[in-house]
Amino acid sequence: MDTIISAQELAADLHQGAAPVILDVRYERGGPSGREAYEAGHIAGAVYVDLEADLAGPPGPAGRHPLPDTGVFEDAMRRAGVRRDSRVVVHDGGQGWAAARAWWILRWAGHGEVRVLDGGLPAWTAAGGELTTRGAAPEPGDFEAVPDSLPVLSADDAAALARTGVLLDARAAERYRGEVEPLDPVGGHIPGAVSAPTAGNVTADGTFRPTRELARRFAALGVTEGGGRVGVYCGSGVSAAQQVLALAVAGIDAALYVGSWSEWSADPARPVATGPLPG
């Protein structure tokens, strides 16, 4: 199954009148709403989707970005014009995290025809793609969610997988080591998890590395196609979705621990490892 689409491929689809539903998921942690950037200029026909409101539930014991209420997510997708048979392309401002979260949530909800715009909006404009300030008004869709169409890890599942398979920590290496922790109660990582920052999945221009390079990267981390169960977590289940996407590009299936470190570290009874080794 295709997981990413280039700016050139998307432009060709739009030129040929085969437009997919385009979801603009620009998001900046701690920054202003992505809607402001959307209204300042977006791909023609794209609909803005709010990560905090539409792709996650309220923060709490389950983490900063838990799974959204199914009804809330269905309504957001229907408003965006997503139908059961729609081809969907999602993009963000280039980091790939928010777009990957939208890709993962759609696939978790049973929608298979979804791809991420490789390199996000910067790749689109670099390829000569135009932007508009004209708002989109799609016909309402008939999207219906089928939850749990992708595997999801609980805290206990993640702990077990770190012992029996490969659990990748997608955060920056210094957070994994426990040297800094800007958001959560304690620094460090789940014992047994392997450090795998998402920055290693992309090139300098923000596009994904070629499939073979990704496969080599993950093999060096102990992950190979058909080599056993793989899971990923991050701070709150957003950047880890980009890692799940990168693994999919490399032909490897992985489960997401949605609660991630924000859920794990909220319980002082859970063990914490520090330093550069899995522990």
Side-chain angles (χ1 to χ4, degrees):
M1 179 183 296
D2 291 333
T3 53
I4 57 176
I5 184 172
S6 70
Q8 292 81 3
E9 289 172 320
L10 178 58
D13 283 350
L14 296 178
H15 180 72
Q16 294 165 8
V21 175
I22 303 174
L23 306 182
D24 185 322
V25 200
R26 276 179 276 181
Y27 167 78
E28 182 181 350
R29 187 181 67 197
S33 167
R35 182 173 292 280
E36 296 178 17
Y38 168 84
E39 291 175 348
H42 54 267
I43 299 173
V47 177
Y48 175 70
V49 172
D50 189 307
L51 186 148
E52 301 276 5
D54 302 327
L55 305 180
R64 286 193 304 278
H65 293 108
L67 287 169
D69 175 83
T70 300
V72 169
F73 180 63
E74 280 187 337
D75 288 346
M77 293 302 98
R78 290 173 182 174
R79 289 195 305 272
V82 179
R83 304 187 62 81
R84 299 173 198 174
D85 59 351
S86 293
R87 293 185 305 113
V88 180
V89 170
V90 296
H91 77 81
D92 56 24
Q95 193 173 35
W97 295 359
R101 172 73 177 214
W103 167 85
W104 185 88
I105 288 283
L106 276 162
R107 295 209 51 221
W108 169 83
H111 197 81
E113 289 293 319
V114 53
R115 291 195 281 176
V116 170
L117 177 59
D118 196 14
L121 202 63
W124 173 259
T125 55
E130 297 182 351
L131 302 179
T132 182
T133 57
R134 185 178 304 163
E139 290 291 325
D142 61 0
F143 173 81
E144 290 187 5
V146 183
D148 298 317
S149 295
L150 286 182
V152 178
L153 299 176
S154 67
D156 289 344
D157 293 334
L161 186 56
R163 297 189 302 268
T164 63
V166 180
L167 181 65
L168 300 177
D169 185 319
R171 298 172 301 159
E174 58 269 23
R175 291 183 70 189
Y176 171 89
R177 294 191 298 265
E179 295 168 0
V180 297
E181 181 43 64
L183 299 168
D184 294 311
V186 63
H189 58 270
I190 297 173
V194 178
S195 181
T198 57
N201 297 326
V202 295
T203 63
D205 65 2
T207 57
F208 278 100
R209 295 189 181 280
T211 298
R212 290 184 179 179
E213 285 188 24
L214 288 172
R216 285 196 296 269
R217 179 190 190 218
F218 292 124
L221 295 168
V223 178
T224 56
E225 187 175 357
R229 295 186 64 218
V230 182
V232 187
Y233 75 95
C234 59
S236 66
V238 176
S239 64
Q242 188 254 38
Q243 189 97 278
V244 173
L245 176 60
L247 284 157
V249 172
I252 299 164
D253 294 328
L256 178 66
Y257 174 21
V258 179
S260 284
W261 190 248
S262 59
E263 179 187 34
W264 183 275
S265 63
D267 183 348
R270 294 193 180 107
V272 171
T274 57
L277 301 178

